[in-house]
Amino acid sequence: MNFPVIKGASYGLIQACDMVRYQGTTQTSEMRLNPASEYLAQMPGHLRAFADAVAYPPNQVYIGNLRPRALRDIPSPWYNNPIPNASAQGTYGAILPQEDFLGLMKAVDKFDLVLLEESFQNAAAERLAANAAVSGWKALAALQKGQAEAAQIEALVQEHKAEPLYNGGKLVGCVKKAHDFDAALSEHVMFENLVAKASAAFALALLLQKTGLAAEEVDYIIECSEEACGDMNQRGGGNFAKSIGEICECLNATGSDMRSFCAGPAHAMVTASALVQAGIYKNVVVLAGGASAKLGMNGKDHVKKGLPILEDMLGAFAVHIGENDGVSPIIRTDAVGRHRIGSGASPQAVMQAIVAEPLNRVQLRISDVDCFSAEMQNPEITEPAGAGDVPLANYKMIAALGVMCKDFEKSELAAVVDRIGMPGFAPTQGHIPSGVPFLGHCRDMILEGALNRVMIIGKGSLFLGRLTNLFDGVSFVVERNPGKADEPAQEATSNEAVRSAMAEAFSSLAASLRAQ
Amino acid sequence: MDLENQRRIKEFAEQYGSEDFILVLGGGEAEASGLAAETVSVGDPTFAGPLAGVSLGLKAYHIFELKDEIDPAVYEEQISMMEMVLDVDAIMQEVATYRG
């Protein structure tokens, strides 16, 4: 079978300290319910400088300058052990400061909703023109006009006609409401949607820059964030995907949005793979931007425990799925895992459905997978908030499932967790940590021969939408490319294929003997 | 404990009384499970939800404590994996503390 392949992946981070304060829901809720709170008074003192965000080890992993397991060698807490001479430019992406990102929001705005103060806008235009990822955007022309007066911005914000944009505590712009009374087009919704659009467009620009994919080669874009755009008659009508492709001039592409909370990216990857394998499209990009609402989500616990506000990063990613090139790692579309409506909600039922069942279907065992990437939340963010180490919890469950499937002995549990796992490194931006942050590393580590087979897992908490108590989970397997099926394989690859086929045959025989 | 869950438990307790009504927990961590057990027995210690200052006197058990009451096949299929993953003794000890 000619499986689709992962041709490349890019990752963008944006540090957005003022958005933490003014748009993160933990902070805005506190402002509404308890405006004189001690937390709101203390929080600004816990915000970190851009250089600290760049040198923060998990952020360096996210943009590809360090492998995830390198975090094991960096003493905890990581925020006290910055990477020396860290760069905001990474193998797979880049970290952008908020002042540049506000310029991007203005650039991607097609309805003149974003206003920036004149000197701020001019400076942003100058910096973005020198940013290699976006300097070619025709959309940057928007920064050459429409500069606003500070008084005009202040008036719009005061009259509740616009969401404020702050930088360094100073009001530098605003996002206007897009309709007089339509709640789906309010200033706050338009702000969130423009954040999602601008950050995803940044990730797509990074993908084109880093991988050499030409914008005109992109056939289809699947956007999989957790935002919804539309008006009061179709609140989630869409289409983020095309609006993002338009910015990067993917003129031959169409696209659509796919949603399933944090499992969205895994659903989108599976769908993209199917579209490519079926021959409907040759090049599909799966992407998502960041969620401003989640900035500072666990800030109260971080401040209480004396930590910096580590949730100051908007995350974004883009992945290119293409036709089999005989080299890039393949996506095993015959081993897609899914949590069915009837699977049950216990952790065991979930893991059985998304880990054991798809592997069994293709005569693989949990022990045949070198590494798993499930919910890759940075534990330094979640542990102080009482949510534990999420990736570690997943690895323990997978290892325990392996014991139940008789792939491992119970005494091996800790060693297995160590072997199949890695520390979490992604910002807690919902859909962003869910499996996909590892795809860039995974692709290169498979090409380097460090890994052979990886399982990517997305999980979603659907109850948050108050329509169902069902859980969601989707998984897929990424594997070393054994060579194109319709071309003679290289000798080395052919031997590998024979070895693999024999190993699978023996494994299957052993399984049937055990079953007897 | 989740405020919505507090509200529902309060309603159930009012409807069925606390005599023949127990709460079964499935939490993955000792402290959080203990907090839930405390909330339904003596009241919400965080004073945030409907059970703040309301002592329902309900007895809470973690599902691990009820192993002997459950069909072994069902337990094996639903719970045994998590038994390997979680700190079972710490959870059971913490939850038992709040049953007086």
Side-chain angles (χ1 to χ4, degrees):
Chain A
M1 207 185 296
N2 238 336
F3 292 115
V5 300
I6 296 177
K7 301 277 283 182
S10 69
Y11 297 93
L13 287 174
I14 295 115
Q15 197 204 23
C17 290
D18 292 273
M19 291 183 192
V20 174
R21 171 73 178 81
Y22 293 100
Q23 279 93 19
T25 53
T26 297
Q27 291 65 242
T28 53
S29 301
E30 189 76 354
M31 276 190 267
R32 188 175 305 131
L33 302 171
N34 191 11
S37 89
E38 205 175 315
Y39 167 63
L40 286 177
Q42 289 178 348
M43 198 277 293
H46 290 253
L47 293 168
R48 58 184 171 176
F50 181 66
D52 294 338
V54 169
Y56 184 51
N59 291 348
Q60 285 291 307
V61 174
Y62 191 78
I63 62 168
N65 287 340
L66 280 179
R67 290 275 180 248
R69 283 179 182 161
L71 290 173
R72 287 177 174 168
D73 302 325
I74 299 174
S76 175
W78 294 323
Y79 58 81
N80 277 345
N81 290 282
I83 303 294
N85 307 313
S87 170
Q89 296 299 317
T91 308
Y92 310 132
I95 306 175
L96 204 65
Q98 181 180 264
E99 54 264 36
D100 292 8
F101 183 67
L102 294 176
L104 285 190
M105 285 178 67
K106 168 86 180 161
V108 305
D109 163 31
K110 296 285 182 185
F111 283 80
D112 295 327
L113 301 175
V114 179
L115 293 182
L116 294 177
E117 186 277 323
E118 185 171 7
S119 62
F120 184 86
Q121 179 170 317
N122 292 342
E126 208 169 300
R127 287 191 306 274
L128 291 173
N131 183 321
V134 301
S135 57
W137 282 8
K138 286 183 184 156
L140 289 188
L143 294 171
Q144 301 303 327
K145 55 186 182 190
Q147 291 89 338
E149 298 290 330
Q152 181 190 1
I153 295 166
E154 264 171 51
L156 284 164
V157 171
Q158 294 232 319
E159 292 161 18
H160 301 287
K161 290 179 178 167
E163 181 81 13
L165 297 175
Y166 287 91
N167 193 58
K170 191 177 167 218
L171 185 67
V172 294
C174 64
V175 178
K176 292 187 286 182
K177 59 172 73 179
H179 189 278
D180 279 348
F181 55 83
D182 184 342
L185 296 171
S186 71
E187 62 273 34
H188 184 73
V189 171
M190 290 315 303
F191 165 83
E192 288 193 344
N193 286 350
L194 284 165
V195 165
K197 178 184 177 184
S199 49
F202 178 53
L204 178 55
L206 288 166
L207 183 76
L208 301 177
Q209 180 202 15
K210 301 276 178 188
T211 68
L213 171 67
E216 61 272 17
E217 289 175 326
V218 180
D219 298 308
Y220 201 78
I221 298 169
I222 306 178
E223 196 266 7
C224 54
S225 73
E226 295 177 288
E227 309 300 343
C229 70
D231 68 9
M232 58 185 163
N233 294 313
Q234 47 274 311
R235 196 153 22 90
N239 176 318
F240 279 97
K242 289 187 88 166
S243 80
I244 292 158
E246 179 188 22
I247 297 299
C248 293
E249 294 180 69
C250 300
L251 303 182
N252 295 317
T254 182
S256 62
D257 305 340
M258 190 163 241
R259 297 286 178 270
S260 187
F261 283 95
C262 308
H267 280 283
M269 286 294 298
V270 169
T271 306
S273 304
L275 290 170
V276 170
Q277 189 169 340
I280 296 171
Y281 301 119
K282 286 188 192 324
N283 295 295
V284 179
V285 173
V286 169
L287 50 71
S292 52
K294 294 193 180 75
L295 291 168
M297 202 164 41
N298 296 292
K300 285 184 181 176
D301 290 301
H302 293 164
V303 166
K304 202 188 301 171
K305 291 176 181 164
L307 275 71
I309 294 286
L310 298 170
E311 291 168 304
D312 56 352
M313 309 305 293
L314 293 165
F317 73 91
V319 184
H320 172 199
I321 297 96
E323 289 181 308
N324 198 339
D325 56 7
V327 178
S328 303
I330 56 171
I331 297 170
R332 290 283 303 263
T333 49
D334 56 346
V336 168
R338 67 188 192 277
H339 178 263
R340 297 159 204 250
I341 290 171
S343 287
S346 73
Q348 190 166 335
V350 171
M351 291 315 239
Q352 178 70 31
I354 60 179
V355 176
E357 195 274 328
L359 293 173
N360 289 344
R361 202 185 316 136
V362 292
Q363 287 80 52
L364 287 173
R365 309 188 68 82
I366 293 174
S367 50
D368 293 322
V369 179
D370 299 327
C371 187
F372 291 80
S373 173
E375 302 162 288
M376 297 311 299
Q377 280 95 338
N378 173 357
E380 201 156 89
I381 293 175
T382 54
E383 281 185 319
D389 182 330
V390 181
L392 183 63
N394 275 291
Y395 294 130
K396 283 182 178 172
M397 285 191 276
I398 293 167
L401 186 65
V403 172
M404 301 201 65
C405 297
K406 306 203 179 340
D407 290 1
F408 311 114
E409 295 296 326
K410 197 173 174 185
S411 58
E412 292 177 275
L413 261 181
V416 171
V417 166
D418 195 53
R419 185 174 65 71
I420 64 171
M422 62 188 135
F425 58 90
T428 46
Q429 289 259 291
H431 56 292
I432 297 292
S434 200
V436 291
F438 187 55
L439 284 174
H441 293 288
C442 163
R443 180 176 192 275
D444 283 351
M445 289 169 81
I446 288 177
L447 287 173
E448 290 160 7
L451 295 172
N452 191 47
R453 184 178 293 117
V454 173
M455 180 179 263
I456 307 289
I457 299 169
K459 288 169 150 189
S461 302
L462 307 188
F463 74 90
L464 294 167
R466 305 295 196 267
L467 289 182
T468 175
N469 279 311
L470 285 173
F471 190 77
D472 194 29
V474 171
S475 70
F476 57 95
V477 171
V478 182
E479 242 176 49
R480 186 181 302 175
N481 196 322
K484 279 172 86 167
D486 54 355
E487 279 179 14
Q490 300 290 316
E491 194 182 343
T493 320
S494 167
N495 288 343
E496 170 70 23
V498 170
R499 270 200 300 276
S500 163
M502 286 179 68
E504 279 178 22
F506 282 128
S507 160
S508 154
L509 176 66
S512 68
L513 288 174
R514 264 198 298 271
Q516 286 165 21
Chain B
M1 184 191 246
D2 179 61
L3 307 187
E4 176 65 12
N5 282 342
Q6 289 193 34
R7 187 187 62 75
R8 291 172 70 183
I9 290 163
K10 187 163 178 266
E11 279 176 15
F12 283 138
E14 283 161 3
Q15 191 177 347
Y16 300 109
S18 46
E19 192 95 332
D20 297 320
F21 179 28
I22 65 159
L23 196 81
V24 181
L25 301 171
E29 201 260 329
E31 194 184 335
S33 301
L35 195 64
E38 184 181 1
T39 304
V40 299
S41 62
V42 295
D44 180 3
T46 66
F47 289 94
L51 293 179
V54 179
S55 176
L56 292 181
L58 291 178
K59 285 186 165 45
Y61 294 82
H62 196 278
I63 191 73
F64 289 144
E65 297 178 277
L66 305 176
K67 187 172 182 175
D68 295 341
E69 312 293 327
I70 298 169
D71 178 339
V74 173
Y75 194 88
E76 175 72 11
E77 193 189 312
Q78 300 284 331
I79 313 284
S80 54
M81 184 190 89
M82 293 310 286
E83 225 178 26
M84 275 187 265
V85 173
L86 302 176
D87 190 344
V88 175
D89 291 339
I91 291 173
M92 294 206 296
Q93 201 180 333
E94 183 68 18
V95 172
T97 313
Y98 298 98
R99 289 200 297 270

